[in-house]
C-alpha cells in the first residue's frame, strides 16, 4: 500500500524530467536552427537560389518576400514600429543608404568585410556600417534587333538617341519610386547633364516611353519579347536575355553611364538577429556570391576572391560616371528627386 504512492511519485518525476528534457532539446534545436525573414530585392530566381542554399547549409528556415528596391524600402519604413523582416538583401544601394540614414537598419561589422572590394566597403563606411555592397553593375539599355530593323529605327548608341522621333512609344523603363534601376537612371541623367537639362531630357524621353513598369528588370524582358523596341535596365539584366537567345543588343551609352552597388542591410528590431548576421556573413562568401551567375544574374560580386561571371559586362570597359552614392542615397535628395519626377515627368500627358 505504501509502495504505490512512491512509485507514482517516481513515475511522475521521471515524466516531468522527460518532458523537461524534451522541451530543452526542442528549444535547443530551435535555437540552433530557427528562422529568418528575408526581404529580397533581386530577381525572383536568384532570391530563391539564395534561400535554398542558405536553408541547406544552416537548417535555418527562411521566409522570403521578393519586392523591388524602392518597394522594400517602403515596407521596411512602414513596419518600423513593429518590424517583421530580419534582413534585406539585394537591390540598388540608394534605398539601403536612405534606410541607414533614417535609422531603419542596424550597424554590423562582418568578419568578411576585409575580403570585399573597395566599392563595397565604401558603401559600408558611408552608411556608418549599416549597409554593405554585395554586387555591382552598370546601367544601360538594350534593343531588339528585329524590331529596330522592321521599324527602320537607327541603332541607338547614346542616351540622346533614345529621344528620336522614330522611338515614340518604343522605350520602356521602370518607375523610380518602386525601382532602384529607374532611380539609378534618374540620378545618372542628373549627374551627366545637370538637374535642369537632365529633367528636360527625362520629359522628352517620357514622350517615347510606352510604360513605367514596377520592376527594373521588366523592360529587359519586354525587349526580349519584342513588346518594346528599347528597354532601359541594368546591362547585366539585358545580358540575361541575350544568354537565353533573345535578339537583343546590349548598349553602354556613349555619354557615359551610372552604376549600382547592390546592397544588404540588417533591419532594426530584427527578431532573428543572430540568424540575420549568419545570413549576412554567408552572403559575402565567394560560394554564396557564385549563386548569382547560376541564376543567370551577371553582376560583379563584391568578394574579391569570388569569380566574376564571364558574361558580366566589364566595368573597366564602360565609361562610368563618378556616381555620388552618398548624395543620391541621402534621404533628402532621394525624396526630393522622386517627388520632382512625379510632378514634372510622370504626370505629363
Ligand atoms: N534584380 C537584379 C538582378 C538587379 O541587379 C537589381 C538591381 O539591384 C534589381 C533586381 C533591382 O530591381 P529594381 O529596379 O526592380 O529595384
Amino acid at each position: 500500500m505504501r509502495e504505490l504512492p512512491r512509485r507514482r511519485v517516481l513515475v511522475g518525476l521521471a515524466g516531468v524530467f522527460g518532458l523537461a528534457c524534451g522541451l530543452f532539446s526542442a528549444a535547443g534545436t530551435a535555437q540552433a536552427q530557427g528562422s529568418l525573414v528575408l526581404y529580397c530585392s533581386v530577381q525572383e530566381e536568384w532570391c530563391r537560389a539564395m534561400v535554398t542554399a542558405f536553408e541547406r547549409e544552416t537548417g535555418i528556415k527562411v521566409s522570403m518576400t521578393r519586392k523591388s528596391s524602392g518597394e522594400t524600402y517602403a515596407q521596411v519604413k512602414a513596419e518600423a514600429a513593429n518590424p517583421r523582416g530580419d534582413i534585406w538583401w539585394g537591390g540598388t544601394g540608394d534605398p539601403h543608404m536612405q534606410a541607414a540614414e533614417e535609422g531603419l537598419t542596424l550597424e554590423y561589422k562582418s568578419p568578411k568585410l576585409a575580403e570585399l572590394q573597395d566599392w563595397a566597403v565604401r558603401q559600408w563606411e558611408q552608411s556608418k556600417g549599416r549597409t554593405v555592397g554585395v554586387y555591382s553593375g552598370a546601367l544601360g539599355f538594350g534593343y531588339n534587333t528585329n524590331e529596330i530593323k522592321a521599324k527602320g529605327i537607327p541603332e541607338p548608341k547614346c542616351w540622346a538617341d533614345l529621344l528620336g522621333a522614330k522611338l515614340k512609344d518604343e522605350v520602356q523603363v521602370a518607375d523610380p519610386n518602386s525601382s532602384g534601376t529607374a532611380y539609378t537612371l534618374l540620378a545618372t541623367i542628373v549627374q551627366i547633364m545637370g538637374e535642369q537639362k537632365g529633367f528636360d531630357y527625362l520629359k522628352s524621353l517620357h514622350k517615347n516611353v510606352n510604360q513605367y513598369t514596377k520592376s527594373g528588370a521588366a523592360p529587359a524582358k519586354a525587349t526580349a519579347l519584342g513588346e518594346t523596341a528599347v528597354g532601359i535596365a541594368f546591362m547585366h539584366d539585358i545580358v540575361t536575355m541575350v544568354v537565353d537567345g533573345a535578339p537583343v543588343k546590349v548598349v553602354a551609352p556613349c555619354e557615359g553611364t551610372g552604376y549600382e552597388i547592390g546592397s544588404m542591410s540588417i533591419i532594426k528590431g530584427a527578431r532573428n538577429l543572430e540568424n540575420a548576421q549568419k545570413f549576412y556573413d554567408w552572403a559575402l562568401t565567394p560560394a554564396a556570391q557564385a549563386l548569382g551567375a547560376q541564376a543567370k544574374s551577371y553582376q560583379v560580386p563584391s568578394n574579391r576572391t569570388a569569380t566574376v561571371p564571364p558574361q558580366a559586362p566589364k566595368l573597366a570597359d564602360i565609361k562610368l560616371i563618378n556616381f555620388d552614392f552618398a548624395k543620391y542615397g541621402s534621404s533628402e535628395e532621394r525624396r526630393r528627386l522622386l517627388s520632382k519626377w512625379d510632378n514634372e515627368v510622370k504626370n505629363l500627358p
Side-chain angles (χ1 to χ4, degrees):
M1 290 287 284
R2 268 199 201 150
E3 281 294 304
L4 205 57
R6 240 175 83 199
R7 257 180 51 207
R8 266 198 197 141
V9 167
L10 284 176
V11 168
L13 278 175
V16 168
F17 182 68
L19 186 66
C21 283
L23 280 176
F24 267 116
S25 81
T29 310
Q31 219 165 23
Q33 299 171 349
S35 58
L36 179 74
V37 180
L38 166 69
Y39 290 168
C40 187
S41 295
V42 298
Q43 295 304 100
E44 182 84 30
E45 296 79 359
W46 192 6
C47 294
R48 275 196 260 115
M50 289 291 281
V51 169
T52 307
F54 185 69
E55 284 187 337
R56 197 177 43 226
E57 204 146 303
T58 61
I60 294 166
K61 182 91 195 78
V62 180
S63 155
M64 186 273 285
T65 304
R66 194 271 153 199
K67 281 187 181 173
S68 282
S69 318
E71 288 182 296
T72 304
Y73 160 77
Q75 181 170 359
V76 169
K77 193 169 174 77
E79 293 173 354
N82 185 20
R84 293 175 46 229
D86 296 314
I87 191 154
W88 173 14
W89 176 79
T92 58
D94 50 284
H96 282 271
M97 292 287 282
Q98 185 173 1
E101 187 189 326
E102 293 173 0
L104 300 170
T105 48
L106 289 177
E107 204 181 312
Y108 178 59
K109 186 170 185 180
S110 169
K112 293 277 159 204
L113 197 68
E115 296 180 22
L116 305 185
Q117 300 276 4
D118 291 348
W119 46 262
V121 178
R122 211 172 311 123
Q123 185 81 340
W124 182 82
E125 287 166 352
Q126 285 184 335
S127 66
K128 301 192 172 66
R130 290 185 152 92
T131 195
V132 69
V134 285
Y135 57 79
S136 183
L139 188 72
F141 55 82
Y143 60 86
N144 184 303
T145 50
N146 295 342
E147 292 295 309
I148 292 279
K149 211 180 284 167
K151 290 175 176 149
I153 301 166
E155 288 185 10
K157 294 185 166 61
C158 305
W159 292 117
D161 296 339
L162 302 189
L163 304 185
K166 284 196 165 172
L167 279 173
K168 179 144 180 57
D169 290 333
E170 289 293 353
V171 179
Q172 197 171 107
V173 62
D175 182 321
N177 292 285
S178 57
S179 156
T181 308
Y183 180 76
T184 304
L185 172 70
L186 171 53
T188 294
I189 293 298
V190 165
Q191 287 173 89
I192 291 176
M193 302 177 191
E195 186 158 331
Q196 178 71 48
K197 288 205 172 114
F199 269 83
D200 290 346
Y201 173 87
L202 294 168
K203 284 182 215 171
S204 301
L205 182 68
H206 178 83
K207 295 188 189 121
N208 286 352
V209 170
N210 52 45
Q211 196 188 343
Y212 292 109
T213 59
K214 197 146 82 160
S215 140
K221 290 179 190 158
T223 307
L225 295 171
E227 292 169 0
T228 183
V230 175
I232 301 174
F234 282 115
M235 289 170 69
H236 51 253
D237 289 337
I238 306 165
V239 168
T240 306
M241 305 299 131
V242 177
V243 168
D244 280 344
V248 170
K249 201 156 178 199
V250 189
V251 180
C254 74
E255 298 93 337
T257 193
Y259 64 104
E260 64 163 332
I261 297 176
S263 299
M264 165 168 67
S265 316
I266 296 178
I267 297 166
K268 188 174 179 180
R271 292 175 197 180
N272 301 294
L273 183 59
E274 233 175 82
N275 288 345
Q277 291 171 345
K278 260 186 211 160
F279 184 94
Y280 191 111
D281 296 342
W282 172 79
L284 296 177
T285 61
Q289 296 199 343
L291 295 170
Q294 287 168 30
K296 293 191 187 164
S297 272
Y298 303 113
Q299 287 89 338
V300 175
S302 68
N303 189 302
R304 284 195 308 271
T305 60
T307 309
V308 178
Q311 302 89 340
K314 309 265 172 304
L315 295 181
D317 298 346
I318 300 166
K319 194 170 156 191
L320 292 180
I321 63 169
N322 187 15
F323 203 108
D324 190 340
F325 291 102
K327 176 173 178 185
Y328 292 94
S330 81
S331 185
E332 192 186 337
E333 189 66 358
R334 192 167 175 277
R335 240 181 302 165
R336 186 185 71 79
L337 283 177
L338 286 173
S339 104
K340 185 165 173 169
W341 184 84
D342 281 342
N343 294 330
E344 297 188 15
V345 181
K346 193 183 184 177
N347 294 328
L348 285 175

